[in-house]
Each structure stands twice: as C-alpha cells, then as structure tokens.
Amino acid sequence: MGITLLDSIGHAQLPTSRHFRIEKLADGVYAAIHKPGGYGICNAGIVDLGEKTLIFDPFISPEAARDLLRAAEALTSYPVAYVVNSHFHNDHIRGNQVFAPPATVISTTRTRELIAQHEPEAIAAEKDYAPKRLKQFQAALQAEQDSLKRRELSLMVDYFQALAESNPQLKVTLPNQTFDTQLILRGKDRTVKLISYGKGHTESDLIMILPKEKIVFTGDLLFIDHHPYLADGFPEEWIAALNNIGKLEPEILVPGHGPVGQREDISTMIGYIEMTDRLTRQIIREGKPIEILSGLTPPHPYDTWLLSTFFIPNLRFMYQRARGEVK
Ligand SMILES: [Zn+2]
C-alpha cells in the first residue's frame, strides 16, 4: 500500500497511508497515529535529527512499517538511522525488520531480553490462534449494532488481521544497541533523550524526550481514550513513571495508543490505575470472590474508552495482586 504526496490538484500534503495518519508536532517531528482499519495498532514517531532520521515504535506489522519508512523518507529526505522500541510488546516492535539492517535498533537491555524470550514463541502461537480469533471478532462485529462496541470490535479485528496476515513474513529482529537508564542521540539539528525509569507498563519501558520542543513519546506508559493493559505491569512504579513524565513539563504527549495529548492526560491515566486498585480492594474487603469482577463495567470517564476488553483482566490482575497472589 503506497503513500500519496500530492492531492488531486497537486498541493503538497503530509504522506497518507491506510495504516496511520501523520500529525506534524513541530518542524521535523511527526506522530503516526493508528488509523481504524489499518495495521499500525500502536502509534509511531518520525523525528528528523538532521541528516539522519529516527523512528519510534515501528508498528505491529511489516506492511504498516513499510508505509512508515516511505513516509519518513518523504518527510525528511534522509535515511532511517535509528529505530527505538519503547518496550517488548509485539505491536511496538514487529516493524523492526523493515528498517534493520541498516538501521540501528535501540531498546533497554531488559527489553531486548524480553523480546528474545517472548517473540519466537509468540509468533509460532499466533500462526494458529490469530486466524481463529480474527474469525470470532469478525463474526461478533457483524452481529453488533452499538456504535461504540463496533469501534471496539473493529480494533480487535484490525489487531488479529495484522497478526494473521503478517505471520508468514515475520523475522525476529532484536535491538542491537541497548542501554539501562539514559541514552542521548545527537543529530546535526536535534537532540533526543531516551530515558528508562525501569518498571512500569512492563518490566522495562523507555520514553523519548525532545527537550527543546517539549514533546514526549511515552510508549505504553500513557494510553489516551484507550484502556491500558495492566497485567504485564507494576502499578506503583507505573504511577511513579507517569509522575516523572509530568515533572518534565511536556506540552505535547504522544501516547502508545490513542490521539496526541497533553499533560492533563497523565492524571487521567494515573486515575485509571488508582480506580482499578480502589475497586478491587473494596470487593476484597466485602469478602467477594474474583468471579464477581466479570459483571463490572468501566466507570466514567473510562466508559467510552476503547480496548475495553482489557478492563476485566485488569481488575482480575489488581485483585490477585492485592491478595498477594501475583507479583
Ligand atoms: Zn504495551
């Protein structure tokens, strides 16, 4: 699927793709936001460092990543030198193979270990279950009338379709440059800082800071209008990481999922984690069993968030955690 650089009357415009929408954040800095029906799933970033280009979180599928590469080349006129993986989840790393080699793929040391540990097995398992789950979600979508539920189911269809279609061409492409707490990348025109606060959404997450532009690409430490996935995470450290991001006083935040946001979105995200903790502790205090959680629905303002399929598993995780049954 190609990108388009000119509209019908020849005006220059931002590259387009069926997988994502490009949003210009500053000169040389772009967010690529997942588009419904596309195979991006997460959000990516394109940063012109000056004579070299950086890609942040290259999507779930090589197909979407190929469009991202074309968009980056069109926007910056320079080759992609760096690809950054914010954490090990498949939707943020599977595009690596489109850029590397020759690009250098950067992550934390622990994220590289987690990719090496999980990916071969995940890709093998998806070969079988992704087409099955795809059929289930397609059938559910066809039967659903409610517009919010249809948007939700469409996103799950996109996710499993991306997995099923890309499976035969996937090659595990590990990061080949790693760090633990901080890495500064200096280009001719721009410097970016990669920072890891350690545990959060996963055992190891990193964020990318553009100090001059006051922009932060957060990876999945921040979700906007989407339920986060808590069960690989560490809620206390996650909240601490979000507070640290707030202290950077960013003006623009690019979340792992959802639209580009602002500093206020950090407290909404912290509120979500605290809400799941409060709800489950209340149920434990009342002596109710874990099964009761299945009947709960997300409270306002989270009742319109997508990825609501994570809500019950999130509550179960927080319940088991509060009882000391999981880490
Ligand atoms: Zn994630």
Side-chain angles (χ1 to χ4, degrees), residues 87 89 91-92 201-202 220 223 257:
H87 64 294
H89 284 157
D91 48 330
H92 299 254
H201 167 67
T202 63
D220 279 357
F223 285 61
H257 299 266

Side-chain angles (χ1 to χ4, degrees), residues 23-156:
E23 201 168 316
K24 183 174 177 177
L25 307 177
D27 276 341
V29 186
Y30 306 88
I33 304 294
H34 167 76
K35 212 186 236 184
Y39 298 166
I41 304 301
C42 80
N43 295 330
I46 299 172
V47 180
D48 182 353
L49 296 172
E51 295 179 356
K52 40 192 170 184
T53 298
L54 176 150
I55 297 288
F56 188 84
D57 279 355
F59 293 139
I60 199 170
S61 75
E63 188 185 331
R66 279 190 285 274
D67 270 11
L68 187 63
L69 171 61
R70 288 189 206 106
E73 287 173 345
L75 288 165
T76 72
S77 317
Y78 294 113
V80 172
Y82 304 114
V83 174
V84 175
N85 292 156
S86 64
H87 64 294
F88 81 97
H89 284 157
N90 61 4
D91 48 330
H92 299 254
I93 63 168
R94 293 261 171 100
N96 285 355
Q97 67 186 63
V98 169
F99 300 93
T104 300
V105 181
I106 302 172
S107 76
T108 66
T109 312
R110 185 63 187 135
T111 291
R112 186 187 190 280
E113 288 169 359
L114 288 166
I115 296 172
Q117 191 183 321
H118 287 274
E119 275 291 276
E121 230 171 89
I123 292 169
E126 286 162 16
K127 185 177 187 222
D128 189 46
Y129 88 75
K132 286 185 195 152
R133 300 282 283 154
L134 173 60
K135 278 206 187 87
Q136 289 166 358
F137 278 108
Q138 281 171 328
L141 176 61
Q142 214 159 20
E144 184 58 61
Q145 300 297 323
D146 179 81
S147 71
L148 177 63
K149 286 185 186 145
R150 285 188 60 85
R151 278 176 65 210
E152 167 80 31
L153 289 165
S154 298
L155 181 53
M156 299 315 287

Side-chain angles (χ1 to χ4, degrees), residues 174-227:
L174 293 174
N176 53 358
Q177 183 178 351
T178 57
F179 70 98
D180 292 321
T181 54
Q182 176 169 299
L183 180 69
I184 297 178
L185 297 171
R186 292 185 178 86
K188 193 169 73 64
D189 301 334
R190 177 173 281 115
T191 294
V192 301
K193 261 190 204 175
L194 304 178
I195 303 262
S196 176
Y197 300 117
K199 293 174 179 170
H201 167 67
T202 63
E203 258 186 80
S204 179
D205 299 270
L206 69 78
I207 61 167
M208 179 169 73
I209 306 169
L210 282 71
K212 199 159 64 80
E213 295 82 359
K214 293 187 175 291
I215 297 170
V216 178
F217 289 78
T218 65
D220 279 357
L221 286 171
L222 180 67
F223 285 61
I224 297 180
D225 298 342
H226 287 64
H227 289 255

